[in-house]
Amino acid sequence: DVLPSPEGPVPSVSITEIRQYLRAQGIPFHDGYSCLHTPSLFTDSRDSQPPASSVPYTLFIDKTTGSFLCTATLAEGTWQDFQANVELRHRGVPPASLEEPEEDTRKAREDARCIWERAVPLWDLLDEDETNKTKAMFGISLVTDATLKRFGVRYLRTAKSLVFPWFSPRDATLKGLKLVRVEKKGDAIAYVEETLPRFDSYRNLFGLPLVSRRDTELVLTGWELDALALHQATGVASLALPRGATCLPPALLPYLEQFKRITLWLGEDLRSWEAAKLFARKLSLKRCSLVRPGDLQPRPLEALNQGLNLTKILRAALPASHKSIVSFRQLREEVFGELVNTEQVAGVKWARFPELNKLLKGHRRGELTIFTGPTGSGKTTFISEYALDLCMQGVCTLWGSFEINNVRLAKIMLTQFAAQRLEDQLELYDEWADRFEDLPLYFMTFHGQQNIKTVIDTMQHAVYMYDITHVVVDNLQFMMGHEHLSVDR
């Protein structure tokens, strides 16, 4: 994914400007948690002009970026697209029609439909023994058939994968799938996920069609199986984020506006806890509570399997918003969490650089690391390997390469990722490129000397959109331009 280039960055719009524009155009709105709510420009309700109070407010404008989504028609776009549609309406022209899905999206949906039709409901496997073995393999022996049926989970025998559907919240058509299979690595088991369409356009909130308009409480989980366990044990509306604790795409925020209270229970490690705090800021701190990971509070599926009381754990969730002054009593639980998880507190460890772990402990947010060395000593080569190591572990990474262009940088990183010279085996290129594309890796399109404010604005935009937690600038000298070198900046 390429972020906006310096020639045409996304013009930033403030919430004040958005409000002023809506008032000037006579568009009624009210304030939500992350979005402003207005009547849709894309439905026919405006033709008969009923009183504003009775028009459903189905269009949501993101307070940070100005992007909009109409949940009634699934029309979406930038703040500039919204303004253009308002102008069209004033001229009596119907709003711009919804774009047809791209060829790739259409093909992904067609593939998803074929897989969905081949998959069978898990409780429908003819052999009860096979059903029990499959449930045991995924650790869901205690999840009832009724729960699996309610969430529409199926099983694809040929791939030995559970199949989780993504239904459109508008008309319940199938928009995509997530396939999850189990891989054994020695004694440990790993869950391998694959999505249709691919990750960057997979925007499913698993379980959304089951949420009723009257629901005001929600638990957000980082995994589909956790959502099943939570709903079964507590009866509370439960949704799973498409990429777990990696990121919360802003495009999903409108669907979470109806909830007065959201509890984030993303996983059982400190990275999930850090992600929960980050997501709570996007969702509005005042309505969020967080379940702190610990031995007595593992992830929901594990809690169900251990016979723990999930309702009790939810009631004990900590409010996300701390007052400006706190006593130790309020911090006590968090301090205990840091003592219990000393290894995790040190940050995400490098898999390829054990010596580096001894020096830096791990990658932690809010820290700055500077690599220096003469020209040609291998700084860029090393830093791309160092960043790739973290990125492969799910750390969302943003590259600002001011010295070498993105194509060359991506070629270096792809070679390091594949651990072989692909120019000698071009037939393998697509396979490795597909896997590389699924990494949470983004590149800024700047090159050479840049205005610092523009670069910072782009970084902030990336942090909000993609939940970036690792930014690489290579290198400062090129970004600043040579004439700044004498200035102590």
Side-chain angles (χ1 to χ4, degrees):
D1 283 279
V2 174
L3 291 165
S5 66
E7 295 81 45
V10 171
S12 55
V13 60
S14 71
I15 183 64
T16 311
E17 289 171 88
I18 296 174
R19 287 195 182 106
Q20 283 172 343
Y21 180 80
L22 294 175
R23 287 191 192 106
Q25 298 295 333
I27 297 172
F29 67 90
H30 62 244
D31 245 314
Y33 297 101
S34 324
C35 308
L36 296 177
H37 307 193
T38 78
S40 176
L41 306 172
F42 301 89
T43 53
D44 296 328
S45 59
R46 66 185 185 288
D47 298 339
S48 51
Q49 287 300 325
S53 59
S54 66
V55 177
Y57 282 35
T58 58
L59 192 137
F60 298 85
I61 301 169
D62 188 301
K63 291 182 184 180
T64 306
T65 62
S67 308
F68 73 87
L69 168 75
C70 166
T71 52
T73 61
L74 301 187
E76 58 181 351
T78 63
W79 174 241
Q80 287 66 40
D81 296 334
F82 179 83
Q83 290 172 303
N85 276 301
V86 172
E87 299 304 318
L88 287 174
R89 192 172 71 155
H90 284 326
R91 287 192 236 133
V93 182
S97 62
L98 290 177
E99 288 179 22
E100 279 294 300
E102 290 176 10
E103 185 56 38
D104 284 356
T105 310
R106 264 208 304 276
K107 188 176 178 313
R109 285 186 189 172
E110 189 54 38
D111 290 348
R113 199 177 54 75
C114 293
I115 290 172
W116 184 242
E117 284 169 2
R118 291 211 320 270
V120 289
L122 198 53
W123 59 93
D124 259 7
L125 295 177
L126 297 174
D127 182 358
E128 195 178 328
D129 191 40
E130 187 187 358
T131 304
N132 293 339
K133 272 188 181 155
T134 304
K135 284 174 102 175
M137 178 168 70
F138 287 96
I140 53 171
S141 299
L142 296 182
V143 175
T144 64
D145 289 348
T147 302
L148 293 166
K149 201 172 196 170
R150 180 173 163 76
F151 282 86
V153 182
R154 290 188 182 181
Y155 182 63
L156 187 63
R157 269 193 172 117
T158 48
K160 293 195 169 154
S161 299
L162 288 181
V163 183
F164 299 98
W166 172 16
F167 293 119
S168 164
R170 185 169 63 114
D171 53 13
T173 53
L174 188 74
K175 288 182 75 175
L177 298 173
K178 182 182 280 191
L179 300 170
V180 178
R181 70 176 195 278
V182 173
E183 263 186 15
K184 280 216 159 82
K185 293 182 180 173
D187 292 340
I189 61 165
Y191 292 93
V192 182
E193 298 184 348
E194 191 183 333
T195 63
L196 282 165
R198 299 190 67 117
F199 251 12
D200 50 352
S201 43
Y202 186 77
R203 296 268 186 268
N204 181 20
L205 273 173
F206 177 70
L208 189 61
L210 304 178
V211 172
S212 99
R213 287 210 174 136
R214 292 191 300 279
D215 285 322
T216 56
E217 287 198 17
L218 170 75
V219 186
L220 269 185
T221 71
W223 198 34
E224 288 76 9
L225 295 179
D226 283 338
L228 299 179
L230 252 166
H231 181 76
Q232 179 177 308
T234 65
V236 177
S238 311
L239 302 178
L241 293 173
R243 303 193 213 178
T246 309
C247 84
L248 167 56
L252 299 177
L253 296 176
Y255 298 109
L256 303 173
E257 283 287 294
Q258 78 179 65
F259 302 102
K260 291 190 170 62
R261 180 187 156 111
I262 296 179
T263 305
L264 292 139
W265 190 349
L266 297 183
E268 53 204 347
D269 57 7
L270 274 184
R271 280 175 73 187
S272 306
W273 173 246
E274 289 294 326
K277 290 195 275 193
L278 192 70
F279 298 168
R281 288 209 286 276
K282 262 188 195 179
L283 292 163
S284 172
L285 291 170
K286 61 183 179 224
R287 63 170 172 160
C288 290
S289 301
L290 318 174
V291 173
R292 187 182 62 74
D295 290 346
L296 297 174
Q297 298 187 163
R299 64 180 324 131
L301 180 63
E302 192 54 37
L304 178 75
N305 289 338
Q306 288 180 23
L308 300 175
N309 185 332
L310 278 76
T311 306
K312 194 174 166 189
I313 294 174
L314 284 181
R315 283 204 196 109
L318 305 168
S321 55
H322 266 313
K323 297 284 181 278
S324 304
I325 297 171
V326 294
S327 67
F328 176 68
R329 187 175 157 200
Q330 289 159 287
L331 299 174
R332 183 174 172 150
E333 284 297 298
E334 288 207 46
V335 173
F336 181 70
E338 297 228 341
L339 291 172
V340 170
N341 300 295
T342 45
E343 271 298 293
Q344 291 181 29
V345 173
V348 181
K349 299 271 193 287
W350 284 272
R352 308 182 190 198
F353 303 111
E355 289 300 312
L356 194 62
N357 290 327
K358 291 179 190 172
L359 288 168
L360 297 181
K361 303 293 182 257
H363 170 265
R364 291 184 291 266
R365 292 177 194 195
E367 290 193 353
L368 172 70
T369 306
I370 300 175
F371 291 91
T372 71
T375 304
S377 59
K379 294 187 298 294
T380 298
T381 307
F382 172 65
I383 292 169
S384 74
E385 182 96 46
Y386 151 109
L388 186 60
D389 186 317
L390 296 170
C391 196
M392 286 165 68
Q393 297 181 63
V395 174
C396 297
T397 304
L398 174 67
W399 259 91
S401 177
F402 299 89
E403 187 174 358
I404 66 171
N405 69 35
N406 285 332
V407 175
R408 266 188 61 206
L409 175 64
K411 182 185 152 198
I412 293 169
M413 295 186 90
L414 180 60
T415 304
Q416 291 171 333
F417 180 65
Q420 56 189 303
R421 282 171 57 85
L422 290 172
E423 50 266 68
D424 300 337
Q425 306 175 70
L426 290 175
E427 69 281 0
L428 297 177
Y429 176 76
D430 283 332
E431 181 194 331
W432 281 105
D434 280 350
R435 288 165 64 179
F436 190 69
E437 209 176 289
D438 280 342
L439 294 176
L441 177 64
Y442 305 88
F443 300 94
M444 287 191 273
T445 55
F446 303 121
H447 194 63
Q449 187 179 344
Q450 297 299 331
N451 175 316
I452 287 212
K453 185 181 183 311
T454 314
V455 177
I456 300 278
D457 285 349
T458 304
M459 287 179 186
Q460 286 180 328
H461 175 76
V463 168
Y464 180 75
M465 295 299 291
Y466 307 109
D467 296 299
I468 299 293
T469 52
H470 185 204
V471 180
V472 182
V473 174
D474 180 39
N475 68 40
L476 214 52
Q477 186 173 317
F478 273 80
M479 184 179 104
M480 304 283 291
H482 294 273
E483 69 273 16
H484 288 304
L485 293 182
S486 56
V487 183
D488 183 12
R489 193 151 165 198

